[in-house]
Amino acid sequence: MRAIFFFLLISMAAATAKASHAQSIPNQIHPLRPTAGSAGRHVPQINCLSWRLAVETNNIQNWKLVPLQCESYVGHYMLGKQYRDDCNAVVVAAIQYAKTLKIAKDGKDVWVFDIDETTLSNLPYYARSDVAFGATKFNGTKFDGWTREGKAPAVPGALFLYRTLLAMGIKPVFITGTKEEFRQVRIANLKKVGYHSWVKLILKGVNDTGSSVMYKSGKRAELVKAGYRIVGNIGDQWSDLLGDFVGDRTFKLPDPMYYIG
Ligand SMILES: *[C@@H]1O[C@H](CO)[C@@H](O)[C@H](O)[C@H]1NC(C)=O
Ligand SMILES: *[C@@H]1O[C@H](CO)[C@@H](O)[C@H](O)[C@H]1NC(C)=O
């Protein structure tokens, strides 16, 4: 009798375990469930959070578009609290690091800032329905039109980092992939949102060909040659932070909307 009862108990436990498999999975692996159908059948579907993590960690490279299925996910991320919190976390870490530095009084300690999605935000442009947070093909003519308007707001936290570094005696240097022809419009845009002083504002000249990594490495090499010490470097693209003379520490801001190699 006891043996039968015990057997029943075990069978019931096994059946319950099977039936409530989904509920019994701990929270942290629950987000993986949507990629597997019932009975473990594979459903070809992108987990947008996994995609974003892979993009931010530079595991996925040379991607051209936000996956169509992730347009809404990326839109909610960018417009919501998470993007702001993620930016602020980077800024807090950058300031913590900057506080450990011994800044010389010679004005040669510089911090390299990228501009787009690092200093200025193109989110009003990317949120347009025809741009779809990077899920539609990049249109240079359209994007240049937006840049020319000079209406980009500051990236969350970036202005605070800029002001804090300035107050510490660390001089900002902007290195951007924006073309030289936009110099005046960019200066006006930077000043309008609160960036008013810098050591150098380096834009892409007609002879600056090649990859972004090569271009930015070359410009940083010139800075170092001129006696500047790059104590920090912040950008939304890995191409801002890889290559030569990247600086003593680099900081990566989030950007799941586009990739520049
Ligand atoms: C890019 O945008 C411009 C301006 O809106 C438009 O005239 C042009 O057709 C677009 N190009 C492509 C390839 O979609
Ligand atoms: C670009 O290179 C050409 C050829 O070497 C040179 O004549 C021109 O002055 C350069 N332009 C700039 C803006 O440096």
Side-chain angles (χ1 to χ4, degrees):
M1 185 63 197
R2 261 178 89 132
I4 290 174
F5 178 69
F6 193 60
F7 173 73
L8 266 177
L9 202 69
I10 289 190
S11 311
M12 269 169 65
T16 312
K18 250 188 197 160
S20 68
H21 192 49
Q23 294 97 296
S24 69
I25 290 174
N27 264 344
Q28 64 267 28
I29 70 165
H30 186 256
L32 293 175
R33 293 293 290 171
T35 57
S38 58
R41 260 183 300 113
H42 181 70
V43 177
Q45 179 183 314
I46 294 170
N47 181 321
C48 295
L49 178 53
S50 299
W51 177 82
R52 180 170 67 84
L53 181 64
V55 155
E56 293 298 357
T57 48
N58 210 22
N59 290 326
I60 296 180
Q61 303 183 346
N62 297 309
W63 52 281
K64 304 277 182 254
L65 290 174
V66 167
L68 213 52
Q69 294 144 286
C70 298
E71 175 198 335
S72 163
Y73 169 83
V74 170
H76 281 98
Y77 169 75
M78 290 302 297
L79 295 174
K81 189 167 180 291
Q82 194 65 53
Y83 171 63
R84 279 139 194 86
D85 286 353
D86 289 352
C87 287
N88 287 332
V90 177
V91 164
V92 166
I95 291 172
Q96 259 171 9
Y97 157 70
K99 281 181 178 165
T100 68
L101 299 173
K102 274 213 151 55
I103 304 305
K105 298 261 186 285
D106 61 1
K108 293 286 190 181
D109 290 314
V110 297
W111 194 289
V112 173
F113 284 79
D114 163 59
I115 294 189
D116 291 283
E117 264 57 63
T118 300
T119 301
L120 296 176
S121 171
N122 297 304
L123 200 44
Y125 174 80
Y126 273 86
R128 281 163 41 169
S129 61
D130 55 337
V131 183
F133 298 102
T136 60
K137 195 165 175 284
F138 179 76
N139 180 324
T141 314
K142 243 193 301 198
F143 185 73
D144 284 356
W146 153 256
T147 302
R148 213 170 278 117
E149 288 178 39
K151 290 200 293 208
V155 164
L159 197 55
F160 183 69
L161 173 63
Y162 166 88
R163 285 184 179 141
T164 306
L165 295 175
L166 265 182
M168 295 170 101
I170 303 173
K171 309 286 186 194
V173 169
F174 293 112
I175 305 182
T176 174
T178 306
K179 285 173 274 182
E180 189 64 52
E181 62 182 278
F182 294 101
R183 179 174 286 274
Q184 292 316 316
V185 84
R186 284 256 111 155
I187 289 176
N189 197 155
L190 285 167
K191 289 192 167 169
K192 190 161 78 185
V193 300
Y195 303 97
H196 48 80
S197 83
W198 46 81
V199 171
K200 279 183 194 300
L201 168 58
I202 301 168
L203 294 97
K204 206 169 192 172
V206 287
N207 293 338
D208 292 322
T209 50
S211 70
S212 180
V213 171
M214 281 169 58
Y215 158 64
K216 295 204 167 187
S217 291
K219 297 301 175 189
R220 289 191 303 263
E222 285 173 25
L223 283 174
V224 170
K225 214 172 149 196
Y228 291 104
R229 294 176 296 271
I230 303 173
V231 298
N233 179 1
I234 188 164
D236 66 299
Q237 299 289 322
W238 280 98
S239 54
D240 298 328
L241 312 174
L242 298 174
D244 302 324
F245 307 102
V246 293
D248 297 337
R249 263 202 71 176
T250 61
F251 295 88
K252 169 75 173 69
L253 282 164
D255 185 356
M257 302 189 297
Y258 57 87
Y259 177 93
I260 298 172

